[in-house]
Amino acid sequence: MRLELKRELSELQSIVAATAAFFAEHGIDTGLRNVVDLATEELFVNMVLHNTETTADILLEMRPLGAGVEVSLTDFDVDRFDPTRFQPVDIDAPAEERTPGGLGLFLVSKMVDAMTYQYKERQSKMTFQVGQG
Amino acid sequence: MMFSVDQNDSGAVRLSGRLDAASAREAERVLDEAAGECVIDMTELEYISSAGLGVLLRTHKRLLSDGGIRLVGVSPHIRDIFKYSGFDKLFPIEAA
């Protein structure tokens, strides 16, 4: 599955619909949906909010992998920004010291089976796998 | 299922559908009006991302001196999100 996405949060609806159709078409365990939806949203939103130097569409790709799925998001004509090198979140800190910043990428790192980052010719590509373990 | 937010008969704020980056502002608009200890009913909430967690955290911190927020009707999947993020240590959470 390949889907070109405008740099708008309203595209989240399109992502959810396309992911549901992809899971149904390939018979993938729907129990994996929430993790895939979460990781895809967090990485897409991260690109939209942080890679503001481009207006190009973001490419979402999804393919079956074993009993699960591999998802990639590619952002074009952007500076290097590696989401796998996020600041750690102190989940034991009291509420007064907690901030929402960095929570999304932290959650993705905890919930997917694997996550990689590639940067080449000003293209930033995040890939993650779910349902491999 | 589209996101919606309203208050039920007992005064709890009820979240339904998908609380993501596109709907977080709508949730925040309602929760900004909450006062005192705030009960949030998540029985019909299907999904939450970090944008939704941010709304809950900001509301909890604002109301902390009055008791903060209390979550009820939390599904196993959303409870996992709270556990991974450490939010299960920040406010009371009651399962669905």
Side-chain angles (χ1 to χ4, degrees):
Chain A
M1 183 264 278
R2 286 169 60 92
L3 188 63
E4 292 180 2
L5 302 160
K6 303 283 183 207
R7 312 183 73 81
E8 299 168 358
L9 297 182
S10 58
E11 289 282 51
L12 289 172
Q13 276 189 38
S14 305
I15 294 174
V16 171
T19 303
F22 176 82
F23 268 61
E25 179 185 353
H26 295 281
I28 298 170
D29 178 8
T30 55
L32 303 175
R33 269 291 307 280
N34 280 316
V35 174
V36 171
D37 283 354
L38 180 88
T40 306
E41 175 185 335
E42 301 294 353
L43 296 174
F44 173 73
V45 170
N46 191 271
M47 287 175 168
V48 170
L49 297 183
H50 293 286
N51 297 343
T52 55
E53 65 274 28
T54 182
T55 57
D57 288 352
I58 293 168
L59 176 63
L60 170 66
E61 297 171 287
M62 217 171 271
R63 69 181 184 97
L65 184 67
V69 58
E70 182 175 83
V71 181
S72 295
L73 287 137
T74 306
D75 209 359
F76 299 89
D77 194 22
V78 294
D79 298 331
R80 184 184 186 90
F81 176 76
D82 184 352
T84 64
R85 298 190 174 191
F86 56 87
Q87 292 290 318
V89 173
D90 181 3
I91 63 170
D92 295 316
E96 295 88 338
E97 297 173 15
R98 294 290 303 263
T99 61
L103 200 49
L105 296 177
F106 176 78
L107 280 174
V108 174
S109 73
K110 292 290 180 192
M111 299 182 79
V112 303
D113 295 323
M115 180 166 65
T116 58
Y117 175 73
Q118 293 173 284
Y119 185 73
K120 187 179 179 184
E121 296 173 349
R122 291 191 54 74
Q123 293 182 18
S124 208
K125 183 175 185 179
M126 283 297 310
T127 301
F128 68 86
Q129 299 171 353
V130 174
Q132 307 307 304
Chain B
M1 183 179 178
M2 296 290 287
F3 176 74
S4 69
V5 53
D6 59 13
Q7 279 195 305
N8 66 17
D9 295 340
S10 60
V13 174
R14 185 168 51 192
L15 305 178
S16 305
R18 300 178 66 87
L19 178 47
D20 59 18
S23 57
R25 190 167 293 178
E26 186 181 352
E28 189 148 37
R29 180 179 54 78
V30 173
L31 287 167
D32 277 352
E33 303 292 321
E37 186 193 34
C38 177
V39 177
I40 300 177
D41 183 350
M42 296 189 157
T43 306
E44 295 180 29
L45 190 69
E46 296 174 355
Y47 170 88
I48 190 168
S49 67
S50 69
L53 296 181
V55 173
L56 297 180
L57 179 61
R58 282 189 289 276
T59 303
H60 182 65
K61 290 172 77 168
R62 181 175 62 80
L63 300 175
L64 205 49
S65 61
D66 295 320
I69 63 174
R70 181 161 62 90
L71 309 181
V72 301
V74 178
S75 70
H77 161 68
I78 291 177
R79 199 177 181 94
D80 282 346
I81 302 276
F82 289 140
K83 183 179 159 194
Y84 283 123
S85 61
F87 275 35
D88 59 338
K89 301 168 190 163
L90 298 183
F91 26 72
I93 297 172
E94 296 173 21

